[in-house]
Amino acid sequence: MRVKDLMSRHVVSITPEESAALAARLLTRHNLGVLPVCAQDGTLLGVVTDRDIITRCVAASEDASRVPVQDIMTRELETLSPADRGEEALRRMSRCQVRRLPVVEDGQVVGMLSLGDLARSHRYEAEAARTLCDISGNVVRRK
């Protein structure tokens, strides 16, 4: 099964100049774990997560309403293509220790793929569970 058949096509994104506070509100409002950070032309520049906001802004005693997303976003990204297979997505998620990956075509974000999307397909249910255990296990060991 291809990523294009599994991904969520509704993508909420943010520009790098917007505030960390707005990113937090968008994450909460849309019940998301990650926001793609895109230039005005839609080019993917990075991602920002709730953890980025907490560790790079709040814990650093910064004012989230004044900190631009570009100062706290993750720039080194793993992405998927709509043509990639689900197995490849699971390998990349496990290797990068992430639960969600942006799906990019011609530099533009066209979707997001989560472990939940893979598990819901039933074809990858067991593999998604194993990947989640790998990711969660490594998080616990890092503490």
Side-chain angles (χ1 to χ4, degrees), residues 56-88:
R56 297 177 183 160
C57 183
V58 176
S61 299
E62 299 289 341
D63 180 352
S65 66
R66 295 176 186 249
V67 174
V69 168
Q70 65 193 357
D71 289 356
I72 62 167
M73 70 183 186
T74 299
R75 296 171 192 273
E76 293 182 28
L77 299 177
E78 185 74 35
T79 63
L80 295 166
S81 160
D84 286 332
R85 301 194 56 79
E87 296 88 353
E88 178 60 22

Side-chain angles (χ1 to χ4, degrees), residues 20-29 31-37 47-59 64 69 72-74 99-100:
L22 176 59
R25 287 193 301 275
L26 288 171
L27 288 165
T28 300
R29 181 179 307 136
N31 194 29
L32 300 170
V34 65
L35 285 175
V37 180
V47 295
V48 66
T49 66
D50 49 358
R51 189 171 195 284
D52 292 332
I53 295 166
I54 295 298
T55 60
R56 297 177 183 160
C57 183
V58 176
V69 168
I72 62 167
M73 70 183 186
T74 299
R99 298 174 190 205
R100 297 163 197 88

Side-chain angles (χ1 to χ4, degrees), residues 3 7 36 42-44 77-84 101-112:
V3 166
M7 69 185 191
T43 303
L44 181 65
L77 299 177
E78 185 74 35
T79 63
L80 295 166
S81 160
D84 286 332
L101 287 172
V103 182
V104 177
E105 189 169 46
D106 298 323
Q108 308 287 306
V109 178
V110 295
M112 292 293 290

